[in-house]
Amino acid sequence: MQELSVRHLLGIKDITKQDIQLIFETADNFKDVLNRPIKKVPSLRDITIANVFFENSTRTRLSFELAEKRLSADVINFSSSGSSVKKGETLLDTVNNILAMKVDMIVMRHSSPGAPHFLSRHIKANIVNAGDGTHEHPTQALLDSFSIREKYGEVAGKKIVIVGDILHSRVALSNIFALQKQGAEVMVCGPSTLLPKYIKELGVKVELDINKALAWCDVANVLRIQLERQQMKYFPSLREYTLYYGINKKMLDKLDKQITIMHPGPINRGVELSSDAADSHHSIILNQVENGVAIRMAVLYLLASKNKI
Amino acid sequence: MQKRLIVNHQLLDIMVLRLCHQLIENHGNFSDSVILGLQPRGRQVAQRIQAKLTSILGTSVPTGYLDTTFHRDDFRRRETPLAANATRIDFLIEGKKVILVDDVLYTGRSVRAALDAMIAYGRPANVELLVLIDRLYSRHLPIEPTYVGKSVNSLQSQRVLVEWQGQEVEEDNIWLITKNED
């Protein structure tokens, strides 16, 4: 068996197509483990993992924690709210203090792009980026691609449109890198105010009309409209966004083809995705959540295997 | 590298037939018994055993494949990580008599991992071990086979290779391989 080419999973940009393939093949086996009566293997019983979250998270943290526990790792959780970070402790000091407790791996979410990259230059532990600001969210992109592969057999040659707030989305950027490495065609669709100015330089198609984008694609990965950023006024109102970019079942039924709807969660029901679309047979949103645990188990397992005893 | 033939295809065929009759002696019509081949190389042995039992008994014996990769005790101790294989167990093992099948028994660590992995599927009534080759005096754990094709006295520097027809070779053979020591 080959090994990952990296010691840390900082972003999809840093890994190869072979790495992605290896993660998927390993995740296939872990998905099988998750469907057994006893959903636990002892692989990481001698590993301690710290989940260090400097930003809010529900599903990513739960998914990582479950993946770690399914692998029998010892897990400690840290969140910056109510911690010494509020007293002025630096990121490096915080992490070094955690590492002094003999932690082997760090799963980190931070609001600053590049924070895990900075840490990787200063500490020996393996680092998994669980989202760094508007930069990357590699495990989300991997589970998205894995879900497409599960649905269609392969990712290569598939047409995927990423819809919504591309400007602020780490999921979008990681997905673009992951899908392109696997030979998929990628389009982004959203209001021009939410599309980065130089997005075309990443080799993606740009479409402003949601109906044209849906007619073109096999898969629509719909991003959350980040309500917390709406004081910036990227569009006049949520109602207007829904009118122009919201996806509902009527739109999907009008298409004379099978289309798959994905969403990284949490969904703003009735904004970017109507309930009847989110809960329709087109949706594989809950499969994504299930696959998230298997993918994260695979990533942790493969990174841990790089550390020989 | 030196290869010495220790079991040729005729002898291997006789060996498999003998093992099947020993299994029938203890398990009758296999109504309460199942076979689990340990991935990757025990799978072939299990398939051979199953095919021979089917031809003798006229009924198919439930046979599955068990992967032990995530239960091994040498994770992070190997130069290259082991690739996991599929586990396929389409039946309940709760309360069944389970026959674990592998090609070679050496240190016993794989079998220990298999016992660990198997428990995820239920609590068997009892567990037996069938191996084609038992490498004597090399156990790391107190694990012994119930059914043995052939016992071999070998050095630690040697390894046993079981070849099956169709896997880029023309006939079934079992070899003892000695690495040249420089």
Side-chain angles (χ1 to χ4, degrees), chain A residues 121-282:
Chain A
R121 292 193 293 272
H122 291 86
I123 64 172
K124 279 186 179 172
N126 305 98
I127 299 169
V128 182
N129 180 4
D132 58 333
T134 56
H135 179 223
E136 281 224 46
H137 192 349
T139 54
Q140 181 66 48
L142 288 167
L143 75 90
D144 287 349
S145 289
F146 185 77
S147 303
I148 294 168
R149 169 182 173 264
E150 192 175 60
K151 172 89 182 175
Y152 291 97
E154 61 175 351
V155 178
K158 295 289 164 287
K159 295 175 176 173
I160 292 103
V161 63
I162 304 170
V163 184
D165 183 356
I166 312 296
L167 185 67
H168 300 109
S169 178
R170 52 192 170 213
V171 174
L173 191 61
S174 286
N175 256 289
I176 290 167
F177 291 144
L179 293 165
Q180 286 180 336
K181 282 183 187 208
Q182 293 168 89
E185 284 186 76
V186 187
M187 176 188 278
V188 293
C189 176
S192 54
T193 50
L194 289 175
L195 298 178
K197 193 174 176 183
Y198 300 107
I199 190 75
K200 277 188 179 172
E201 291 188 16
L202 292 178
V204 299
K205 293 180 167 64
V206 176
E207 179 57 67
L208 299 179
D209 184 330
I210 185 67
N211 289 305
K212 285 183 184 170
L214 291 177
W216 173 84
C217 73
D218 300 305
V219 179
N221 195 347
V222 187
L223 302 177
R224 182 174 72 93
I225 281 299
Q226 302 183 31
L227 300 171
E228 64 272 23
R229 300 191 199 274
Q230 288 324 302
Q231 68 274 24
M232 299 288 291
K233 287 296 175 205
Y234 290 99
F235 43 82
S237 69
L238 279 180
R239 192 162 168 270
E240 181 156 326
Y241 180 86
T242 305
L243 198 64
Y244 283 95
Y245 291 100
I247 295 174
N248 56 51
K249 191 155 184 293
K250 207 162 112 184
M251 292 162 76
L252 301 177
D253 290 342
K254 260 199 301 190
L255 301 165
D256 57 347
K257 60 172 187 177
Q258 174 59 34
I259 186 170
T260 300
I261 297 293
M262 297 170 72
H263 194 299
I267 307 171
N268 293 312
R269 284 176 179 261
V271 181
E272 67 264 9
L273 205 53
S274 68
S275 279
D276 58 5
D279 302 331
S280 72
H281 68 278
H282 298 284

Side-chain angles (χ1 to χ4, degrees), chain B residues 94-109:
Chain B
E94 184 74 29
K96 297 280 187 190
K97 296 172 186 169
V98 174
I99 304 140
L100 295 178
V101 174
D102 209 352
D103 61 345
V104 180
L105 176 61
Y106 181 37
T107 63
R109 289 178 186 268

Side-chain angles (χ1 to χ4, degrees), chain B:
Chain B
M1 190 179 77
Q2 294 173 306
K3 277 174 86 174
R4 184 164 65 86
L5 188 64
I6 52 174
V7 180
N8 64 23
H9 68 279
Q10 291 109 329
L11 191 56
L12 185 52
D13 211 37
I14 293 165
M15 193 189 283
V16 169
L17 186 63
R18 172 174 54 84
L19 290 167
C20 285
H21 282 292
Q22 285 180 301
L23 286 171
I24 292 166
E25 201 176 349
N26 290 341
H27 294 271
N29 63 358
F30 283 80
S31 56
D32 291 323
S33 306
V34 297
I35 293 172
L36 286 184
L38 305 193
Q39 289 275 35
R41 289 179 299 273
R43 179 178 177 161
Q44 278 280 1
V45 187
Q47 283 173 336
R48 285 298 173 102
I49 296 278
Q50 186 197 27
K52 195 69 87 176
L53 284 172
T54 303
S55 70
I56 298 167
L57 298 168
T59 56
S60 183
V61 177
T63 303
Y65 314 117
L66 181 66
D67 184 66
T68 63
T69 308
F70 302 131
H71 294 264
R72 294 181 64 96
D73 60 6
D74 57 357
F75 180 63
R76 300 204 297 144
R77 287 170 174 81
R78 301 175 68 93
E79 274 310 301
T80 52
L82 282 171
N85 293 282
T87 289
R88 208 204 74 199
I89 302 175
D90 304 330
F91 43 80
L92 293 172
I93 67 167
E94 184 74 29
K96 297 280 187 190
K97 296 172 186 169
V98 174
I99 304 140
L100 295 178
V101 174
D102 209 352
D103 61 345
V104 180
L105 176 61
Y106 181 37
T107 63
R109 289 178 186 268
S110 294
V111 177
R112 201 275 321 149
L115 291 168
D116 203 356
M118 184 185 62
I119 298 303
Y121 294 90
R123 183 179 181 269
N126 68 36
V127 185
E128 293 177 337
L129 175 63
L130 180 151
V131 293
L132 284 183
I133 301 293
D134 176 12
R135 293 181 65 174
L136 299 169
Y137 317 119
S138 53
R139 221 68 79 233
H140 292 184
L141 298 165
I143 285 171
E144 291 304 325
T146 323
Y147 310 96
V148 181
K150 185 182 175 73
S151 296
V152 175
N153 192 356
S154 61
L155 300 170
Q156 202 181 342
S157 58
Q158 295 173 314
R159 71 184 182 97
V160 175
L161 174 67
V162 180
E163 286 182 336
W164 297 103
Q165 188 188 7
Q167 295 186 326
E168 297 169 15
V169 291
E170 287 180 15
E171 54 185 30
D172 304 338
N173 283 312
I174 303 180
W175 305 86
L176 186 64
I177 295 173
T178 309
K179 293 172 196 162
N180 290 336
E181 293 191 12
D182 300 326

Side-chain angles (χ1 to χ4, degrees), chain A residues 1-3 26 29-30 32-33 36-47 71 104 300-302 304-309, chain B residues 66-88 92 112 116-117 119-122:
Chain A
M1 179 174 139
Q2 59 190 115
E3 284 188 292
T26 310
N29 292 299
F30 282 126
D32 174 62
V33 168
R36 292 177 189 176
I38 296 172
K39 303 163 179 58
K40 203 174 169 90
V41 290
S43 306
L44 301 196
R45 65 193 143 199
D46 54 349
I47 298 266
L71 289 165
D104 304 289
L300 295 166
Y301 176 83
L302 290 167
S305 74
K306 302 279 290 183
N307 288 340
K308 304 284 181 280
I309 293 175
Chain B
L66 181 66
D67 184 66
T68 63
T69 308
F70 302 131
H71 294 264
R72 294 181 64 96
D73 60 6
D74 57 357
F75 180 63
R76 300 204 297 144
R77 287 170 174 81
R78 301 175 68 93
E79 274 310 301
T80 52
L82 282 171
N85 293 282
T87 289
R88 208 204 74 199
L92 293 172
R112 201 275 321 149
D116 203 356
I119 298 303
Y121 294 90

